[in-house]
Amino acid sequence: MEKIVQNTDHDALTCKLSAISTRYIPCPLVHKDYFNYNDIYLSYYQTLKTLLSRRDQGSINRALRNSYPVMNYGTYLRTVSIDSLLNSYLDERVSNEYIQVVNLGCGSDLRFVHLLNNFKNIKYIDVDFKDALELKGKVLRTNLKFKQALKLDTEIMDKTENGSQLIHTENYVMMEGDLKDTSDIITKLSRYTDTNAKTVFITECALCYLPDIAAQRLIDKIIDTFDSGYWISYDPIGGNQEKDKDRFGKIMQDNLKSSRDLELPTLLKYFSEDLYSSRFTQHTNSSKKITVNIKNLWEFYLQSINDNEKKRLQKLQFLDEIEELKIMQSHYIILNAQW
Amino acid sequence: MMEPDQCLQYLYKGQLLPEATIKALCFKLKEMLVKESNVVYIQSPVTVVGDIHGQFHDLLEIFEIGGRVPDTNYLFLGDYVDRGLYSIETILLLIVLKLRYPNRVHLIRGNHESRQITQSYGFYTECLNKYGSSSKVWQYITDLFDYLILCCVIDDRLFCVHGGLSPNVQTIDQIKIIDRFREIPHDGAIADLVWSDPEEHNLMANPSNREELYQETSQHFQISPRGAGYTFGRSVVEKFLEINGMDRIYRAHQLCNDGYQIYFDGLVTTVWSAPNYCYRCGNKASILELYSADEYYFNVFVEAPENRLLNDQVMNSVANRNTISEYFSDYQLSITNGKDNTNDTSYDYKEFYKNGGNDVDELETDLMKMSLSTNSDIFSDSFQAQSARNRKVEYFL
């Protein structure tokens, strides 16, 4: 199951590269200070290819050739929704106060490159399975651009991790772990972060692969452990099968199970925005006040993307059917929770 | 050259035809269609079918629930290809049915019956995959698309088109004089007819205030969010119907969750016939059964159970199989006594397909060899998963 979940990073990366090559991202508004966005991802991809098996190379190449507009729109919305929340939060901080950003289930995500470049006094922690981070570390170490960007010559070498590719500098840490093993994650996080400092947690299609109890435990424990936090989560929701006769979730579950044995244990349980929010508002064992905002990505598209930007997107590729985009994006949510 | 009936035998089973046959069929149909007007007049009873988009199983399902050709007359509103995985099987079947029963089947052109769109939405890729990079199948079929009619009138009262109305067209006579034998242009009458949409009501409007609702839609055509064609409101429709002596408009083009969608108190109706669109939208589909201009029924259906016939690549090379059970019984026999001999590359395929005969060599594919060599139990989960993997339904993961 682990390998199967890890493989979803291939999908995410491919989708991102596809959206970049068709110019959906970078977004001129949200990413206006993200210099060399294309360069960074393409550079990562070039190096990664040299380390992948032929088969994996082939599947990424194939996917890049067939980039459907509806998928590119979705990847754009996914990226922009998370980045805009992140930017807003960081922009609001008072006089460069120290903030930590923890990306749970980060995969090959590279937003840390821009964040570390654009914001001072930030520490970024990438969390994922060991294998995933080893590969990522290898790519970053092999590629000169990243080496320089991350200032790898100033790396803090952990003696027990000799031979490993995991990176550990003053403000960027690769923390290996299994999100299902909550106590291990919390222990390690406590070692690498200051639990009293403001911390951002990002789960981008990460909670959806965890069993219900494990996901809830993770949410609860993190909120308990960290004094002041801001959680950004992007996930699919199944839709209301009973009330709206919405079969999207059930079909998605069946398709993923039969085509790649991938399971989404909570897709049909927290099937609406309200139910998904409740995982944060009703967490147990805490007297902390939590404010939660949630919307689905179709709402995000309607409300948060201005007309000019919508026009720009329209010109990129011919999106034949808006109905399909609406159906898909209505089943993905972007949540932010603050305590 | 195969006779239409012979072709139908293969096509109903979801088997592909040789390229030479496709070339000949397209040529023959162009010969027939060149004589048809842009606007064809037909009589009820007729069953109107909306977008199919390569969902071949569901086309067969339509014939199951709506009745087979020629027992039932059919009017197809376009969008036969793209998005689904069996565009070729779908369009070939419709081509042969039109050739065989020209007065029972009518095919209107949709916006996907175009060279440009099919290059981005799957049909071109499918042709490459199924016929190879040096084949001209995509070319033959997209050339044929230029000949498809633009609209239909049923019982002199019901106007049928793929998309909708055009600011360049006030009368149906104006449609008749268009030169349609070309690729769909970016703008102009043809583009509008296949791309336009009825204007949706403002979702924030108060539904109990009829006056407000009526005024919600524009007096004139508006630029369409699709980037081609226009949107048109109620008054535009009323004007068109009045000038041309029509009662209603039937069209397709837009995904409907319930299989059909009624606008403007029935003046415009969308018929959508691709259930569970792209294998993930979970929508219903419908066909509109018109008994007369005033008696009709929306026959709503959901996706057909995936027919193993098509997912099993092995079957594609069987020429004369009549029933699945026949096939299975022979197949079981060939898996000899628990010994897996399917890795034996000298395996005699001709022996395997008792009735297959000459066509086996021609139609044998790498996929067939692969499926025989990797998994001998076609009922197993892994075999089914293998087929499902071919579907590659995409999500954000």
Side-chain angles (χ1 to χ4, degrees):
Chain A
M1 178 66 183
E2 248 185 49
K3 196 75 187 109
I4 293 171
V5 170
Q6 283 184 57
N7 285 342
T8 61
D9 181 53
H10 267 163
D11 296 74
L13 179 61
T14 314
C15 280
K16 198 132 196 193
L17 291 169
S18 172
I20 290 174
S21 70
T22 44
R23 302 187 199 289
Y24 283 75
I25 39 182
C27 167
L29 300 162
V30 171
H31 296 130
K32 73 174 180 345
D33 295 325
Y34 286 43
F35 295 113
N36 298 330
Y37 195 101
N38 290 13
D39 203 26
I40 284 167
Y41 275 92
L42 291 174
S43 202
Y44 184 89
Y45 170 56
Q46 296 297 8
T47 309
L48 177 67
K49 267 208 294 190
T50 62
L51 302 172
L52 285 180
S53 69
R54 285 283 212 163
R55 199 149 155 271
D56 288 337
Q57 272 183 46
S59 70
I60 291 188
N61 285 338
R62 255 194 312 276
L64 284 179
R65 265 184 269 127
N66 304 319
S67 54
Y68 283 116
V70 74
M71 293 305 288
N72 287 328
Y73 261 91
T75 304
Y76 166 87
L77 291 169
R78 165 184 186 162
T79 309
V80 166
S81 61
I82 296 172
D83 286 340
S84 68
L85 285 175
L86 201 49
N87 285 346
S88 303
Y89 185 77
L90 292 173
D91 279 338
E92 273 168 16
R93 68 177 173 163
V94 182
S95 56
N96 279 355
E97 75 182 300
Y98 174 66
I99 291 189
Q100 296 158 145
V101 180
V102 179
N103 195 340
L104 298 164
C106 62
S108 55
D109 179 71
L110 296 173
R111 36 173 68 87
F112 68 87
V113 175
H114 294 108
L115 286 179
L116 292 176
N117 191 52
N118 295 348
F119 297 94
K120 297 286 164 257
N121 210 14
I122 301 252
K123 188 172 187 181
Y124 198 106
I125 294 122
D126 260 344
V127 180
D128 212 317
F129 290 112
K130 187 156 191 287
D131 289 341
L133 289 177
E134 288 281 344
L135 178 59
K136 185 171 183 176
K138 196 160 178 197
V139 175
L140 296 173
R141 283 175 192 282
T142 312
N143 189 304
L144 203 58
K145 286 192 188 127
F146 289 113
K147 271 173 93 165
Q148 288 172 343
L150 288 168
K151 300 196 186 83
L152 286 182
D153 50 342
T154 66
E155 195 165 358
I156 302 166
M157 292 301 260
D158 188 336
K159 289 187 185 111
T160 61
E161 272 146 14
N162 236 346
S164 116
Q165 304 284 349
L166 301 186
I167 296 173
H168 186 171
T169 67
E170 204 191 329
N171 49 21
Y172 177 69
V173 177
M174 287 185 155
M175 191 189 110
E176 59 108 344
D178 182 345
L179 294 182
K180 294 192 291 294
D181 189 349
T182 317
S183 46
D184 182 51
I185 294 283
I186 297 293
T187 309
K188 286 180 178 153
L189 277 178
S190 307
R191 199 196 313 161
Y192 293 114
T193 65
D194 175 3
T195 59
N196 297 319
K198 283 192 176 162
T199 314
V200 179
F201 294 92
I202 302 174
T203 44
E204 182 179 354
C205 279
L207 292 179
C208 57
Y209 302 118
L210 299 175
D212 191 10
I213 299 176
Q216 197 58 56
R217 212 170 38 221
L218 185 64
I219 295 172
D220 291 346
K221 275 280 162 213
I222 284 183
I223 295 179
D224 284 343
T225 310
F226 286 81
D227 280 351
S228 165
Y230 186 72
W231 197 307
I232 300 173
S233 190
Y234 170 90
D235 263 332
I237 49 170
N240 197 332
Q241 222 173 336
E242 259 186 60
K243 184 166 150 279
D244 304 325
K245 301 206 179 100
D246 186 342
R247 298 189 305 147
F248 185 90
K250 178 79 174 53
I251 291 169
M252 180 175 180
Q253 208 173 48
D254 289 345
N255 280 341
L256 290 174
K257 181 87 179 105
S258 63
S259 66
R260 45 205 292 180
D261 217 11
L262 180 63
E263 286 180 6
L264 300 160
T266 54
L267 182 73
L268 296 178
K269 178 166 183 193
Y270 303 108
F271 57 75
S272 70
E273 288 89 318
D274 284 340
L275 285 171
Y276 190 95
S277 298
S278 69
R279 301 164 90 174
F280 291 82
T281 56
Q282 287 166 31
H283 82 288
T284 53
N285 301 335
S286 178
S287 53
K288 288 177 177 155
K289 181 176 182 297
I290 303 189
T291 14
V292 176
N293 292 309
I294 190 171
K295 57 171 79 153
N296 67 54
L297 271 298
W298 177 248
E299 284 170 331
F300 179 82
Y301 172 71
L302 291 177
Q303 296 162 11
S304 310
I305 308 292
N306 68 36
D307 284 344
N308 278 339
E309 181 63 358
K310 281 195 177 90
K311 283 202 184 96
R312 180 188 77 88
L313 294 172
Q314 258 186 344
K315 292 203 185 96
L316 295 171
Q317 277 180 312
F318 210 33
L319 176 66
D320 183 34
E321 286 136 355
I322 302 167
E323 293 79 17
E324 194 195 356
L325 181 65
K326 180 179 174 184
I327 287 180
M328 277 197 94
Q329 295 310 310
S330 305
H331 291 88
Y332 281 86
I333 53 93
I334 179 82
L335 168 146
N336 62 297
Q338 191 161 3
W339 67 96
Chain B
M1 155 74 183
M2 280 198 251
E3 291 301 319
D5 282 321
Q6 201 182 358
C7 290
L8 285 177
Q9 219 189 357
Y10 291 119
L11 293 172
Y12 272 123
K13 282 182 234 161
Q15 289 167 32
L16 297 171
L17 300 177
E19 181 161 337
T21 308
I22 296 179
K23 184 178 181 186
L25 290 169
C26 289
F27 181 81
K28 280 239 148 276
L29 187 53
K30 284 197 284 194
E31 264 187 338
M32 182 191 288
L33 291 174
V34 77
K35 299 176 210 152
E36 282 195 34
S37 163
N38 300 338
V39 184
V40 167
Y41 290 76
I42 62 176
Q43 300 297 311
S44 59
V46 63
T47 296
V48 182
V49 180
D51 292 27
I52 300 172
H53 282 300
Q55 298 185 199
F56 185 75
H57 304 88
D58 299 312
L59 176 60
L60 295 182
E61 183 80 348
I62 287 170
F63 292 138
E64 280 295 302
I65 62 170
R68 280 203 144 190
V69 183
D71 302 333
T72 304
N73 301 324
Y74 282 97
L75 168 60
F76 292 90
L77 298 176
D79 278 10
Y80 313 108
V81 300
D82 282 339
R83 310 315 304 274
L85 301 174
Y86 307 101
S87 296
I88 301 180
E89 288 86 344
T90 302
I91 190 64
L92 287 182
L93 177 54
L94 293 173
I95 287 172
V96 179
L97 285 174
K98 175 66 180 171
L99 279 170
R100 179 66 182 83
Y101 305 103
N103 298 317
R104 302 276 173 194
V105 173
H106 295 276
L107 305 170
I108 289 181
R109 190 174 193 177
N111 62 304
H112 279 258
E113 276 70 65
S114 126
R115 288 168 191 79
Q116 206 185 5
I117 299 282
T118 51
Q119 282 181 60
S120 319
Y121 282 90
F123 182 50
Y124 176 72
T125 309
E126 190 183 321
C127 290
L128 282 188
N129 288 342
K130 290 181 180 170
Y131 284 89
S133 52
S134 54
S135 91
K136 292 193 167 145
V137 169
W138 177 81
Q139 211 178 302
Y140 298 143
I141 298 179
T142 48
D143 283 350
L144 167 65
F145 287 159
D146 291 344
Y147 287 68
L148 294 174
I149 65 174
L150 297 177
C151 43
C152 233
V153 174
I154 304 174
D155 293 347
D156 293 319
R157 291 169 55 189
L158 311 173
F159 181 72
C160 306
V161 69
H162 176 73
L165 300 176
S166 168
N168 296 298
V169 168
Q170 280 76 51
T171 67
I172 293 178
D173 284 341
Q174 283 172 318
I175 302 178
K176 290 176 191 166
I177 59 175
I178 295 171
D179 171 21
R180 76 170 192 267
F181 301 101
R182 50 185 298 200
E183 168 67 9
I184 297 177
H186 286 135
D187 38 45
I190 299 179
D192 301 336
L193 291 171
V194 303
W195 278 101
S196 296
D197 295 306
E199 198 180 306
E200 277 188 72
H201 290 302
N202 182 354
L203 293 169
M204 308 294 271
N206 184 353
S208 63
N209 188 341
R210 277 202 65 88
E211 205 55 50
E212 222 176 62
L213 263 180
Y214 182 86
Q215 282 164 5
E216 277 306 323
T217 61
S218 322
Q219 298 289 314
H220 307 287
F221 288 88
Q222 303 291 318
I223 301 288
S224 166
R226 284 189 198 254
Y230 294 85
T231 58
F232 50 93
R234 185 184 184 124
S235 47
V236 169
V237 174
E238 284 174 338
K239 199 165 153 209
F240 178 85
L241 293 174
E242 204 202 308
I243 289 175
N244 294 286
M246 296 279 131
D247 288 358
R248 305 191 288 283
I249 298 176
Y250 288 117
R251 42 90 68 177
H253 193 45
Q254 271 179 308
L255 172 62
C256 304
N257 217 26
D258 296 319
Y260 65 98
Q261 180 73 47
I262 298 178
Y263 304 84
F264 316 139
D265 292 319
L267 295 183
V268 174
T269 304
T270 305
V271 181
W272 178 268
S273 307
N276 193 21
Y277 186 47
C278 296
Y279 310 104
R280 74 184 157 212
C281 289
N283 59 290
K284 295 192 190 141
S286 77
I287 53 176
L288 169 61
E289 296 173 359
L290 275 164
Y291 311 116
S292 70
D294 298 311
E295 293 165 276
Y296 51 86
Y297 171 64
F298 287 99
N299 199 336
V300 178
F301 61 101
V302 293
E303 67 269 19
E306 189 96 353
N307 188 341
R308 275 195 207 113
L309 217 78
L310 290 171
N311 275 335
D312 185 353
Q313 295 296 328
V314 177
M315 278 300 287
N316 278 335
S317 50
V318 176
N320 289 316
R321 291 283 156 188
N322 291 322
T323 60
I324 252 193
S325 56
E326 246 184 275
Y327 165 72
F328 284 157
S329 56
D330 288 345
Y331 188 84
Q332 294 298 334
L333 283 175
S334 78
I335 303 170
T336 53
N337 313 327
K339 216 171 42 166
D340 182 0
N341 63 350
T342 53
N343 281 323
D344 181 1
T345 51
S346 64
Y347 198 71
D348 187 348
Y349 294 120
K350 282 204 178 73
E351 182 51 44
F352 180 78
Y353 300 114
K354 286 188 185 158
N355 299 333
N358 305 321
D359 289 338
V360 172
D361 284 343
E362 263 173 27
L363 301 173
E364 192 171 314
T365 62
D366 287 339
L367 280 166
M368 181 182 93
K369 284 191 206 138
M370 182 191 85
S371 59
L372 277 180
S373 66
T374 54
N375 195 326
S376 52
D377 180 2
I378 63 174
F379 291 104
S380 77
D381 281 342
S382 52
F383 188 95
Q384 289 303 320
Q386 218 173 323
S387 322
R389 208 170 291 139
N390 293 335
R391 266 188 266 132
K392 282 197 198 83
V393 188
E394 288 181 284
Y395 293 98
F396 304 101
L397 301 172

